[in-house]
Amino acid sequence: MAVNLDLKFTEAFNKLSELEEVLAPDIMLKLYAFYKQAVIGDTFSYDGEIDVRDAFKFNAWTQLNGMNQEDAKKQYIKLVKNILKNQPK
C-alpha cells in the first residue's frame, strides 16, 4: 500500500509541476503544507530570516501538526486531482 501511495504522490507532484497555470495563493499554501507534512512530517524547522511569504508557508505547514505523513500524501493527491480536473482541456 505504501509503495502505491508513494507512486501516486510522486505522480501527482510531477503532474502539478507540469502545470503552467498560476494557482491562487491559498491553494499554493495548501499544496506546500501537505507536501512538507508528507515528506518531512512534524519536524518543523525554519532557518534564516523570516519574510512574510515564508511566514505564511511555515504557518500553513505547522497547522498540519499531528497529521501523519500518509494522510498528508492522500490529501496532497486529492487536491492535485481536484486542480487538474478543473483545468481547461
Side-chain angles (χ1 to χ4, degrees), residues 25-38:
D26 61 323
I27 301 297
M28 292 298 293
L29 282 175
K30 287 180 186 178
L31 288 164
Y32 174 84
F34 286 134
Y35 182 84
K36 291 291 273 192
Q37 190 68 15

Side-chain angles (χ1 to χ4, degrees), residues 36-56:
K36 291 291 273 192
Q37 190 68 15
V39 174
I40 298 173
D42 288 340
T43 310
F44 305 110
S45 66
Y46 190 84
D47 298 327
E49 295 180 30
I50 296 178
D51 63 16
V52 173
R53 181 175 178 252
D54 289 336
F56 275 106

Side-chain angles (χ1 to χ4, degrees), residues 10-89:
T10 301
E11 287 173 355
F13 178 81
N14 290 337
K15 286 180 183 177
L16 189 67
S17 297
E18 294 170 4
L19 188 65
E20 293 183 16
E21 181 180 328
V22 176
L23 300 173
D26 61 323
I27 301 297
M28 292 298 293
L29 282 175
K30 287 180 186 178
L31 288 164
Y32 174 84
F34 286 134
Y35 182 84
K36 291 291 273 192
Q37 190 68 15
V39 174
I40 298 173
D42 288 340
T43 310
F44 305 110
S45 66
Y46 190 84
D47 298 327
E49 295 180 30
I50 296 178
D51 63 16
V52 173
R53 181 175 178 252
D54 289 336
F56 275 106
K57 289 167 59 175
F58 187 74
N59 183 51
W61 178 25
T62 58
Q63 288 181 26
L64 299 181
N65 186 25
M67 176 182 277
N68 69 47
Q69 289 176 282
E70 185 175 297
D71 287 341
K73 287 178 184 179
K74 289 177 183 176
Q75 291 298 316
Y76 182 89
I77 293 165
K78 182 179 176 181
L79 184 54
V80 170
K81 282 183 179 180
N82 224 6
I83 291 167
L84 295 175
K85 180 178 74 174
N86 292 315
Q87 292 300 303
K89 301 288 180 193

